Amino acid sequence: MDEKVSEWVAAMRGAPDASRQLLAGWLGKQTHRFTITGLSRSGKSMLFTSLMTMLKYRTEAGYECLPLLTRLPTSLVDSMYMEPLPGFEMFPVDEHLAALESGKWPQATDTAYGFRLIVRLTEQGRFKRWLMPYSEVVFEFIDYPGEWVTDLPLLEKTYNQWSDSAWAQQSGGPQHRFSTRWREFIQDFDFEQEPTEARIAEVVSEYRAYLAEAKREGITMLQPGSFLLENDSLSLTSMGFSPLPSTVTSDPSHPWLKAFTANFSAFKKDWLAPLKDKVFREADKQIILIDVFEGLNHSREHLYQLKETLSHLAETFVYGESNWLSRTLLRREKISKVAFVGSKADSVPVSERDALLSLLTQLTEGARAKFGDKEVDFEHFLVSAIEATDEGEARNAVRYRNQHGDYVEASFEPFPKTLKDMESDTHYPVLDINVPKDFLPRILNSRGMDRLLQFLLG
Amino acid sequence: MTESAYRSKVSQKTLEESQPEHAMPSRMAEENWQERPISGGLSWGKVALITGIASLLALLVYNAVSGLLADFERYPITSSVLGTLLGIFVLSVSIVILRELIAYRRVNRFIDSRQPLGALRELPTVADVDRALDSQASQFGRHSFAEHCYRHYQTLKRDDQSAKERVDLYQHHVQQPVQARASSVLKRESMTAGSLAFISPNALIQTLAVMWISLRTIRRMAQVYGLRPGTAGNWRLVNVLVQNIAAQSLFDLATDEVVNQISGTLSAKLMENSAEAVAAGALNVRLGKALIKLLR
Ligand SMILES: Nc1nc2c(ncn2[C@@H]2O[C@H](COP(=O)(O)OP(=O)(O)OP(=O)(O)O)[C@@H](O)[C@H]2O)c(=O)[nH]1
Ligand SMILES: [Mg+2]
């Protein structure tokens, strides 16, 4: 592409003077704050990249890539531009597109990025147009590494509670198999020794090794996921911890318990709480991005675990209808609209999409239960950020180019109708799809984004 | 990898061919559809317009003259010139009206055969919707605006759309723009109706003019939809049309009466004509609205 997405139209924008901006705020500005909740590799960055690309090509070149979207009518869209979100690095859309161009998927996200997307609409009403020629629809998005999101529930826990639940999880469920080495390590470790910095580092690094292994094996409940990434503000010396055996945690005066409790508190106070305020700040709309296929790739147990993880995550958000007062004066927002989005829908053949949607609906049951009796408008969607596959010969097959450059047809046996029906000894291996050469039209032809936007803007 | 313990439910085979390339999605329908000129009718229309204006001018002169020479006898020459002019005008208008009458019958088949979109939304599958919409669209004439919209709509279909979404898409990309176009045609036609009523020197000419415009409105709007000729007349439409003409004539009578009361000065005549112009315009709008509703 000859022109950088982030630069487009930015130049067109004359700085609006303060008074007009204030007026605009009263009259013609709709700000939609989205929070996207998605585990690591669920497709957040691709979704944003695709969204920006589609809106750009739609606005500037009139490509009808979002046919079902009528809430941002092309005839009214005057222009659109992007801005960084204050306090965040700009979302690297150009880099992502360059990666796709060179045949690679975008890199995993390692820190928080934000952006604002402003769509300027010509005002239709005559009186309004006289006052303000344009109204603006502002989208605010924040992208972050998915590893962070699973840590949010820790804010509500004490160290002891967390340690106990971590053991419970590791000894059951699919993790059990990958945690053997780590559990043996803890069993053999001598906690009578003083918790020196070096010994703490040893335990923490062993624990991180377990987390990394579990992540490779498709485990979604990784706590703390933040330990999987390097970050300057997260010092493992002062904030590192791991679960401790119950013999240690049951003795309040135990030096190791004291040390890890202190580190745990520091982790919450100096890392997690600021992270929540900044990255997972209040929003009125939430996209919960779920890669159902990732669960099918592993096992039924993984799917159940994914469901549990989602419901834990839902606990950390505040749902309900926020009124004008709380929104404007208290600047407090509750999430009133939730889109449960099954990502990478293109990797599933047409015949299985209904089943996929139904599995998605079951996976979100626990999370939806957290809405309680609050008025939350929610819907389930299947979305692809890019149509990387083609239809196969039969309805149950897709074709794609794999990492070796071969064009392959994959035929699927029917998906289970319910999680329960998934046979415990079978799986649907994830297709090793390569970035197609014609990635741009395939992004513009991707499915479901129009429906999703239509819902979110409503 | 532990996965090997599981049986894979996906079987894969390498294909000989290479991956096909996607085309870019279609672009916004550019405003490149042009109403095609009404062949032949235009020249008669021109004749009517020119002679109409000429009649008005002649009448103005005549009025002025007769005002000045109110006590004198009419000049025979003036009245015969005026008579001839009026004769040509009436003739040309009649011919035009005849043409419009023929074209007007196109509207019917469409109105009879089309299913309301609301009912289509209830259809169970996308294929059913496609079939219904295709048969509806098969009546759009070639090169019509409706056909233009329909072709664009075709490019917006995606395999994951539901039946209801398809209908919405059709509504948004075919029905609504076509209706908007029909409304703008109607607006223009009604302006013409008003202007013609304004310049018409007497009730006969005015009735003919209004009739012509009414029929032309139907034809122009049918052109937006590109409807092909039908057979039977549509009585609902004829009703509206007849009512319009009757209303216009009644209105003429009434205004004539008022003018008679306040004596036939030029300004009274002007007032009368303006009132009639407004009425003619409004009645034409009524006709068009009825038509749009029928075509919806
Ligand atoms: N076929 C297909 N694959 C996709 C799609 N979106 C994402 N993927 C695949 O999923 C991988 C992860 O996508 P990302 O967007 O990087 O995921 P993320 O949620 O940003 O991941 P983190 O940054 O690690 O949290 C990509 O590298 C692609 O291989 C899609 O729409 N279709
Ligand atoms: Mg990412």
Side-chain angles (χ1 to χ4, degrees):
Chain A
M1 283 210 314
D2 46 8
E3 169 198 17
K4 295 217 187 295
V5 176
S6 57
E7 279 169 12
W8 103 77
V9 216
M12 283 182 51
R13 180 164 199 226
D17 59 72
S19 60
R20 258 197 50 196
Q21 242 179 357
L22 190 72
L23 198 65
W26 283 99
L27 279 175
K29 199 156 180 166
Q30 295 175 48
T31 302
H32 300 272
R33 281 187 163 187
F34 297 91
T35 180
I36 185 162
T37 307
L39 299 171
S40 151
R41 311 316 287 149
S42 57
K44 300 178 292 298
S45 305
M46 268 306 289
L47 193 83
F48 288 145
T49 306
S50 174
L51 176 79
M52 286 172 157
T53 310
M54 289 175 112
L55 283 176
K56 171 191 154 102
Y57 277 84
R58 182 177 189 258
T59 310
E60 297 211 319
Y63 285 107
E64 295 259 24
C65 45
L66 298 161
L68 298 178
L69 175 65
T70 55
R71 294 218 158 99
L72 277 185
T74 2
S75 52
L76 294 188
V77 177
D78 172 78
S79 58
M80 130 175 186
Y81 49 92
M82 283 194 302
E83 284 179 349
L85 203 57
F88 288 88
E89 271 182 64
M90 182 66 193
F91 178 73
V93 63
D94 299 325
E95 273 142 64
H96 289 339
L97 287 171
L100 292 171
E101 173 92 72
S102 67
K104 290 198 270 300
W105 292 105
Q107 293 237 311
T109 312
D110 55 5
T111 186
Y113 297 99
F115 65 96
R116 238 192 218 135
L117 196 86
I118 297 130
V119 179
R120 188 180 260 193
L121 302 173
T122 30
E123 192 54 69
Q124 261 186 315
R126 214 175 268 180
F127 177 68
K128 270 188 150 186
R129 189 159 55 203
W130 175 72
L131 276 174
M132 260 290 306
Y134 300 109
S135 64
E136 288 181 342
V137 181
V138 182
F139 301 85
E140 290 183 6
F141 289 102
I142 297 169
D143 190 26
Y144 56 86
E147 286 86 350
W148 289 355
V149 74
T150 36
D151 292 352
L152 293 176
L154 294 193
L155 279 172
E156 308 300 318
K157 287 188 175 159
T158 64
Y159 173 74
N160 271 16
Q161 283 169 339
W162 173 75
S163 176
D164 290 349
S165 69
W167 286 124
Q169 256 165 20
Q170 283 161 31
S171 43
Q175 297 92 314
H176 185 69
R177 288 190 295 272
F178 325 117
S179 58
T180 330
R181 196 185 111 143
W182 152 248
R183 280 180 296 147
E184 277 168 12
F185 168 84
I186 281 292
Q187 237 156 37
D188 300 343
F189 193 85
D190 180 8
F191 285 101
E192 292 310 311
Q193 308 171 77
E194 275 301 299
T196 59
E197 211 165 90
R199 289 196 192 108
I200 289 184
E202 189 193 350
V203 174
V204 170
S205 108
E206 194 65 29
Y207 185 57
R208 284 177 73 196
Y210 155 70
L211 288 175
E213 164 82 358
K215 180 169 158 49
R216 271 195 300 280
E217 298 292 346
I219 302 302
T220 44
M221 203 58 196
L222 301 166
Q223 278 179 342
S226 305
F227 285 6
L228 286 164
L229 299 167
E230 304 290 333
N231 196 293
D232 293 342
S233 359
L234 177 63
S235 139
L236 290 180
T237 339
S238 60
M239 299 182 202
F241 57 88
S242 79
L244 286 171
S246 53
T247 47
V248 177
T249 53
S250 55
D251 170 8
S253 63
H254 201 292
W256 277 88
L257 177 63
K258 281 186 173 163
F260 275 11
T261 305
N263 280 7
F264 186 79
S265 309
F267 173 79
K268 288 205 305 190
K269 185 170 143 291
D270 300 328
W271 168 254
L272 210 49
L275 192 70
K276 176 162 186 183
D277 285 345
K278 188 181 167 199
V279 176
F280 302 98
R281 60 189 190 181
E282 280 149 1
D284 51 349
K285 288 161 193 185
Q286 183 178 30
I287 302 171
I288 300 188
L289 200 62
I290 304 162
D291 183 359
V292 184
F293 211 132
E294 184 61 26
L296 291 169
N297 176 32
H298 293 283
S299 69
R300 182 172 71 188
E301 285 176 314
H302 280 79
L303 282 170
Y304 277 122
Q305 197 200 36
L306 179 57
K307 180 171 178 174
E308 192 188 329
T309 307
L310 291 172
S311 89
H312 284 312
L313 284 182
E315 249 162 46
T316 62
F317 294 94
V318 189
Y319 294 99
E321 192 72 55
S322 39
N323 55 27
W324 182 84
L325 193 76
S326 65
R327 204 163 35 224
T328 326
L329 293 180
L330 307 173
R331 300 237 163 253
R332 244 173 215 286
E333 230 154 3
K334 293 179 190 164
I335 296 171
S336 57
K337 214 161 205 175
V338 180
F340 294 102
V341 176
S343 59
K344 314 180 192 175
D346 61 310
S347 47
V348 172
V350 190
S351 66
E352 301 314 309
R353 301 230 171 121
D354 287 344
L356 188 70
L357 193 61
S358 132
L359 289 176
L360 176 69
T361 315
Q362 294 167 51
L363 284 172
T364 64
E365 257 167 16
R368 280 182 280 131
K370 300 289 189 291
F371 300 165
D373 52 5
K374 309 279 173 35
E375 273 207 24
V376 179
D377 190 9
F378 67 86
E379 236 173 81
H380 293 81
F381 300 87
L382 293 183
V383 169
S384 62
I386 177 169
E387 282 289 296
T389 66
D390 306 302
E391 273 175 38
E393 185 94 271
R395 268 174 62 81
N396 70 337
V398 289
R399 296 171 168 195
Y400 66 96
R401 211 164 56 89
N402 67 15
Q403 303 292 347
H404 308 295
D406 297 330
Y407 193 47
V408 184
E409 175 160 304
S411 308
F412 285 61
E413 287 178 38
F415 277 179
K417 293 273 166 311
T418 63
L419 300 182
K420 209 164 73 246
D421 292 342
M422 171 117 177
E423 294 154 45
S424 57
D425 57 346
T426 58
H427 78 136
Y428 295 83
V430 155
L431 309 178
D432 146 48
I433 303 175
N434 205 350
V435 181
K437 292 196 189 88
D438 49 343
F439 73 96
L440 181 61
R442 283 175 183 269
I443 284 180
L444 300 185
N445 288 327
S446 70
R447 304 289 195 256
M449 197 79 89
D450 47 357
R451 212 176 273 125
L452 176 63
L453 277 179
Q454 180 80 357
F455 168 74
L456 290 172
L457 290 177
Chain B
M1 286 276 283
T2 25
E3 254 85 78
S4 52
Y6 295 97
R7 187 175 70 79
S8 166
K9 292 198 138 194
V10 181
S11 57
Q12 310 212 27
K13 64 165 193 272
T14 306
L15 303 168
E16 289 302 308
E17 60 213 274
S18 56
Q19 188 168 33
E21 296 229 336
H22 267 220
M24 294 289 271
S26 66
R27 302 255 205 142
M28 279 273 293
E30 277 116 30
E31 282 295 295
N32 53 7
W33 182 82
Q34 298 261 303
E35 204 176 303
R36 301 166 108 214
I38 303 160
S39 51
L42 201 65
S43 54
W44 279 110
K46 262 186 198 148
V47 174
L49 204 66
I50 292 164
T51 48
I53 291 168
S55 312
L56 177 66
L57 288 176
L59 188 84
L60 287 177
V61 173
Y62 172 79
N63 269 353
V65 170
S66 59
L68 276 174
L69 309 173
D71 293 312
F72 291 91
E73 265 187 42
R74 278 189 184 168
Y75 283 97
I77 303 163
T78 314
S79 45
S80 58
V81 167
L82 198 62
T84 319
L85 272 175
L86 286 182
I88 298 171
F89 180 61
V90 169
L91 184 74
S92 52
V93 168
S94 310
I95 290 172
V96 169
I97 285 176
L98 201 72
R99 286 179 39 82
E100 304 297 342
L101 259 176
I102 295 164
Y104 148 81
R105 302 201 342 236
R106 291 170 187 186
V107 183
N108 316 305
R109 218 177 94 197
F110 182 73
I111 293 173
D112 291 344
S113 65
R114 137 221 66 111
Q115 266 179 295
L117 288 187
L120 292 185
R121 280 203 186 83
E122 307 296 316
L123 290 179
T125 71
V126 182
D128 292 330
V129 170
D130 280 350
R131 216 168 306 119
L133 290 178
D134 278 345
S135 87
Q136 185 159 324
S138 66
Q139 297 181 34
F140 296 149
R142 275 174 20 96
H143 310 303
S144 67
F145 182 65
E147 194 224 10
H148 172 78
C149 293
Y150 189 71
R151 257 187 293 130
H152 179 65
Y153 152 82
Q154 296 279 31
T155 68
L156 301 179
K157 290 182 177 178
R158 302 279 187 273
D159 56 11
D160 66 333
Q161 287 158 357
S162 69
K164 189 183 158 298
E165 283 170 344
R166 255 316 137 73
V167 179
D168 287 344
L169 201 64
Y170 179 86
Q171 182 173 22
H172 195 74
H173 289 276
V174 183
Q175 192 198 44
Q176 284 170 5
V178 167
Q179 253 174 51
R181 171 75 61 151
S183 305
S184 83
V185 168
L186 173 63
K187 213 182 268 170
R188 243 183 12 233
E189 292 297 279
S190 302
M191 289 291 286
T192 319
S195 333
L196 278 182
F198 180 73
I199 58 167
S200 297
N202 67 33
L204 170 71
I205 291 175
Q206 187 167 318
T207 307
L208 284 174
V210 166
M211 212 158 113
W212 167 43
I213 287 298
S214 300
L215 285 166
R216 198 179 76 164
T217 305
I218 296 177
R219 178 156 67 118
R220 288 239 163 122
M221 279 167 49
Q223 225 187 0
V224 169
Y225 291 85
L227 301 176
R228 301 203 184 109
T231 41
N234 183 287
W235 290 108
R236 266 188 291 180
L237 224 48
V238 172
N239 257 344
V240 183
L241 193 66
V242 171
Q243 280 168 24
N244 266 8
I245 292 164
Q248 184 72 37
S249 307
L250 273 178
F251 195 79
D252 279 355
L253 278 180
T255 45
D256 274 348
E257 196 45 46
V258 173
V259 172
N260 281 344
Q261 300 289 324
I262 55 175
S263 90
T265 61
L266 188 60
S267 60
K269 185 75 192 154
L270 258 176
M271 220 168 68
E272 180 197 359
N273 276 3
S274 342
E276 282 164 8
V278 172
L283 288 169
N284 202 57
V285 167
R286 178 165 165 267
L287 169 74
K289 287 261 167 73
L291 187 61
I292 290 182
K293 215 158 110 191
L294 282 174
L295 291 174
R296 183 150 47 210

